[in-house]
Amino acid sequence: DTAVSQTPKYLVTQMGNDKSIKCEQNLGHDTMYWYKQDSKKFLKIMFSYNNKELIINETVPNRFSPKSPDKAHLNLHINSLELGDSAVYFCASSQSLEADTEAFFGQGTRLTVV
Amino acid sequence: LAKTTQPISMDSYEGQEVNITCSHNNIATNDYITWYQQFPSQGPRFIIQGYKTKVTNEVASLFIPADRKSSTLSLPRVSLSDTAVYYCLVEGYSSASKIIFGSGTRLSIRP
């Protein structure tokens, strides 16, 4: 009974392709996030959504487009994949944007662009 | 944004107490201090959070001095399974500062 689940866990694709990563949380949280962790292990926030509305968009190329069909889902679509997009992408959720709330992370999606 | 500075790596032995200190000189009044743990091939996991003084849970203790410009995560009697990366975060109620991760401290526990 996973709290935050991402699919797929591994994704290998060629440059130029378009791919999507799905994220679902069953915690009833209002806020969801996407993070990118590169080869140097730095975790960088990409997007955050609160009640299906975009809150943060951190200097992410336009090729990345998050979509939140409902509060429980935040999917990440990537167009025209580039080699530099290879990384582990983590989805997370928290009850709200309040500072004292705990974030729950998914297991990650390892994206490899060849 | 309040930035955090913590040691890149630390080593210790099983059964020891480990203290990881984090500096956050520009912490704002409304900011909380949160620590996460990340094992290889897993997402970060919340460990503990505090605002001031001391917080303790079943996993760790968090010590925060009065000026709140630093904090120390204390792990009692570590085991091999505590080998992980530990992130110190400063979180405030604003979209700009929510859950910003620093470089983390890679803790290695030896037998």
Side-chain angles (χ1 to χ4, degrees):
Chain A
D1 192 18
T2 306
V4 181
S5 59
Q6 303 177 221
T7 54
K9 188 172 182 180
Y10 300 97
L11 183 55
V12 181
T13 188
Q14 291 185 329
M15 285 175 55
N17 284 349
D18 302 339
K19 291 293 179 183
S20 293
I21 306 173
K22 296 184 177 181
C23 178
E24 177 181 5
Q25 53 97 0
N26 61 7
L27 299 167
H29 287 169
D30 289 338
T31 308
M32 296 186 71
Y33 312 83
W34 275 108
Y35 284 83
K36 178 181 179 181
Q37 188 167 41
D38 58 24
S39 58
K40 295 183 178 179
K41 304 301 183 183
F42 290 115
L43 263 167
K44 296 181 180 179
I45 188 166
M46 300 174 69
F47 302 100
S48 75
Y49 269 70
N50 191 55
N51 286 320
K52 299 191 335 178
E53 292 188 9
L54 179 66
I55 303 297
I56 297 175
N57 180 349
E58 287 288 319
T59 59
V60 177
N62 292 335
R63 299 181 295 103
F64 291 80
S65 55
K67 287 183 171 54
S68 181
D70 54 57
K71 285 200 322 182
H73 296 84
L74 181 62
N75 304 321
L76 183 65
H77 188 75
I78 315 170
N79 290 326
S80 304
L81 278 155
E82 301 177 356
L83 292 177
D85 297 333
S86 295
V88 181
Y89 292 83
F90 289 101
C91 176
S93 73
S94 64
Q95 180 62 52
S96 69
L97 285 173
E98 294 287 343
D100 60 346
T101 57
E102 173 185 347
F104 293 80
F105 284 78
Q107 290 297 299
T109 297
R110 182 174 295 277
L111 171 65
T112 304
V113 183
V114 298
Chain B
L1 297 179
K3 294 185 178 178
T4 60
T5 303
Q6 50 185 126
I8 294 174
S9 63
M10 292 182 67
D11 295 326
S12 188
Y13 293 91
E14 281 191 295
Q16 300 294 308
E17 177 183 81
V18 172
N19 296 310
I20 306 174
T21 297
C22 178
S23 297
H24 26 80
N25 292 319
N26 298 320
I27 190 169
T29 303
N30 295 329
D31 290 341
Y32 282 76
I33 300 156
T34 310
W35 286 78
Y36 284 81
Q37 175 192 56
Q38 185 179 26
F39 297 114
S41 302
Q42 293 188 24
R45 185 182 71 164
F46 174 92
I47 301 175
I48 197 167
Q49 184 182 70
Y51 183 79
K52 61 181 179 181
T53 62
K54 176 184 175 183
V55 180
T56 297
N57 62 22
E58 64 278 6
V59 176
S61 294
L62 179 60
F63 299 91
I64 305 169
D67 65 5
R68 303 198 330 122
K69 293 179 184 281
S70 67
S71 59
T72 298
L73 174 72
S74 181
L75 303 173
R77 297 182 297 281
V78 293
S79 64
L80 295 176
S81 62
D82 291 316
T83 295
V85 178
Y86 292 82
Y87 293 97
C88 166
L89 286 71
V90 172
E91 300 184 56
Y93 183 67
S94 79
S95 59
S97 61
K98 181 62 176 176
I99 316 184
I100 304 296
F101 285 80
S103 55
T105 297
R106 186 172 298 277
L107 176 64
S108 298
I109 305 301
R110 301 176 181 178

